Amino acid sequence: MSDLPPSGSTEPAASGPPADPTAPPPPAAEPAPGPPGTTGGATPASGASGADPWAGHTGPVPIVPAEPGYDTPQPGAPFPANPPGWTAPDDTSPGHTSQGWTVPPGTPPQGWNAPGTPPHGWNAPPGTPPPGWGGPAYPGYPMPGAAYPVPGAAYPVPAGPGAYAGWFPGIDPQDPLVNPPHAGIGPWFARCTAALRRGWRQLLPIVLLTQVVPAAVIGVLTLVFSPEGEMATAPDGAPVLPAGFWGQMFAFYGVLLSAGLVFGLLQAAGWAAGTWVVARQAAGEPTGLGAAFRYGLRRALGLWGWTLLVSLLVMIGSCFCLLPGLYAAFALALFGPVYLFERREPIGRAWRMFHSRFGMVLGRVALVMAVLLAATVLDAVVGGISGAVFGVEPMKAVGTAIGAVALAVFGALLAAPAYLAQQVGLVVTYAEQRAQEGPVNAARLAAELG
């Protein structure tokens, strides 16, 4: 018997296991009901492969259910139920319905990326800046319009021309005493005025007792021991000194030098007490007037000795020329705070601070010296008024003597603001230079005073 199929058959030979003869035949597909008025309400039986089942049909085409494997039904048919094992597509556009769930309007589709953002799962290559990085920092200051660093934040330190290596971890940009590096003259001046507002009630009595009183006493001694007599002219035209001129001159300068030495110790105690008040108030610690004077007296002798040595150096420089003496006065202006806070080589440290940051220290000290110069000019003006009103020998009469002494005391009082500015300005300048060398704050400086 031949294994070939009967002639005329178009079906290929069945592959795989043979069909079970006892199995019931599969049910025929039920046709979908057509709309009213249609002809041929049943779906024609499928004919041979490739034949058109709707050949010769007239009228609307009936709706046929979607077969498994198709995503959408024919137009007009309801969305079919998901077959078993079917997974919802990734389409989550607004209004799309999937497995009975509707995506609310305004929800971006799955996998959608905002403009300018990398796709999901994308990793930046090594060396790429992190998101939100806006380029290098503005040199030395925040970007224009940016907020000032918050309290406790670090402040940049220079690593070379136009570059910054990092941030000092212990510098508070809003420290009441320490002006941060590269903050400028404005914050320095603001800290000076803030220190005056905080401590004027303690600083003013200290300045009046230790600075104004000595200046007034020396002014009165100047009136009492000034050489008397006027220059005369000999018959040949040569000037003739009054009798006893040299004796009176030596007595005059001897008294002034002795008074300067004695009052210098009191003035040193006042500078130490004022520094103690400024530093402790900035650190938020209590500052009593009695405790300030006790500290000042304890440190007065050492500060007085260094003051004499610095005064001698400035005098020697002035003997050669005015400019070397003035230069020495500027370069050694910070010796007092250096001695009180560090207690080691105040002259050497002050000299190195001045030359390490020449422009900065020179500018701050020049402002302090300008205030002292203004006070000196005012005192000279008062002295000129006294001489014009009471004469060159006011102590010969009681009335003129009282007037001259009153003007001398008034001139000393006019210098009180200059003494306050000198006290505060030098301490704040020293604190700023310490911040240039490393992390420091008001609490640490107050603790260093002892």
Side-chain angles (χ1 to χ4, degrees):
M1 183 181 292
S2 174
D3 294 332
L4 297 175
S7 60
S9 174
T10 59
E11 296 181 2
S15 60
D20 187 2
T22 63
E30 295 182 2
T38 60
T39 60
T43 303
S46 60
S49 175
D52 185 6
W54 307 106
H57 176 76
T58 59
V61 178
I63 302 301
V64 179
E67 298 181 5
Y70 288 89
D71 292 337
T72 57
Q74 293 187 9
F79 198 92
N82 297 329
W86 183 84
T87 304
D90 290 337
D91 184 10
T92 57
S93 59
H96 175 76
T97 304
S98 175
Q99 294 182 341
W101 177 75
T102 302
V103 180
T107 305
Q110 280 188 346
W112 182 84
N113 296 310
T117 60
H120 293 288
W122 181 83
N123 295 322
T128 304
W133 185 79
Y138 197 68
Y141 298 95
M143 290 291 290
Y148 202 70
V150 297
Y155 217 80
V157 294
Y164 291 90
W167 301 80
F168 274 155
I171 290 185
D172 181 2
Q174 296 184 1
D175 188 277
L177 180 63
V178 180
N179 195 30
H182 316 290
I185 191 68
W188 175 88
F189 185 77
R191 283 169 171 82
C192 292
T193 56
L196 285 175
R197 287 195 301 267
R198 285 192 304 267
W200 70 270
R201 292 177 179 84
Q202 290 82 20
L203 293 176
L204 186 58
I206 292 174
V207 166
L208 290 176
L209 183 60
T210 63
Q211 310 298 327
V212 173
V213 170
V217 172
I218 290 177
V220 173
L221 292 177
T222 302
L223 294 174
V224 173
F225 290 95
S226 294
E228 298 178 356
E230 296 180 358
M231 298 286 294
T233 303
D236 57 356
V240 177
L241 296 175
F245 175 81
W246 291 111
Q248 295 178 6
M249 185 64 66
F250 280 115
F252 172 74
Y253 283 107
V255 169
L256 292 185
L257 182 59
S258 300
L261 291 176
V262 172
F263 287 122
L265 187 61
L266 180 61
Q267 290 174 329
W271 290 123
T275 302
W276 185 84
V277 168
V278 171
R280 286 181 63 88
Q281 284 189 340
E285 300 178 6
T287 54
L289 195 59
F293 276 114
R294 286 192 296 271
Y295 174 82
L297 292 175
R298 189 168 68 248
R299 306 295 298 276
L301 187 60
L303 184 59
W304 179 62
W306 286 107
T307 303
L308 292 178
L309 182 56
V310 170
S311 301
L312 181 61
L313 293 175
V314 172
M315 188 181 301
I316 292 175
S318 301
C319 291
F320 290 99
C321 183
L322 180 61
L323 187 59
L326 187 62
Y327 185 85
F330 275 83
L332 302 178
L334 296 180
F335 81 94
V338 170
Y339 169 74
L340 294 174
F341 287 99
E342 302 179 27
R343 293 184 289 277
R344 60 184 179 92
E345 53 171 350
I347 292 180
R349 281 280 290 151
W351 183 272
R352 288 192 296 271
M353 280 186 177
F354 181 78
H355 292 90
S356 297
R357 290 163 291 276
F358 179 80
M360 181 186 300
V361 182
L362 179 63
R364 275 52 164 178
V365 174
L367 290 176
V368 174
M369 294 293 185
V371 177
L372 292 175
L373 180 62
T376 304
V377 171
L378 286 177
D379 185 66
V381 170
V382 172
I385 295 174
S386 176
V389 174
F390 304 110
V392 294
E393 297 179 356
M395 305 307 292
K396 288 185 176 181
V398 177
T400 57
I402 294 175
V405 169
L407 284 179
V409 173
F410 178 71
L413 285 173
L414 288 178
Y419 295 138
L420 289 172
Q422 182 184 14
Q423 173 78 81
V424 173
L426 293 181
V427 174
V428 176
T429 301
Y430 169 79
E432 182 183 35
Q433 301 314 304
R434 285 287 301 272
Q436 297 284 337
E437 301 172 352
V440 71
N441 54 21
R444 177 177 173 180
L445 291 175
E448 289 179 0
L449 286 176

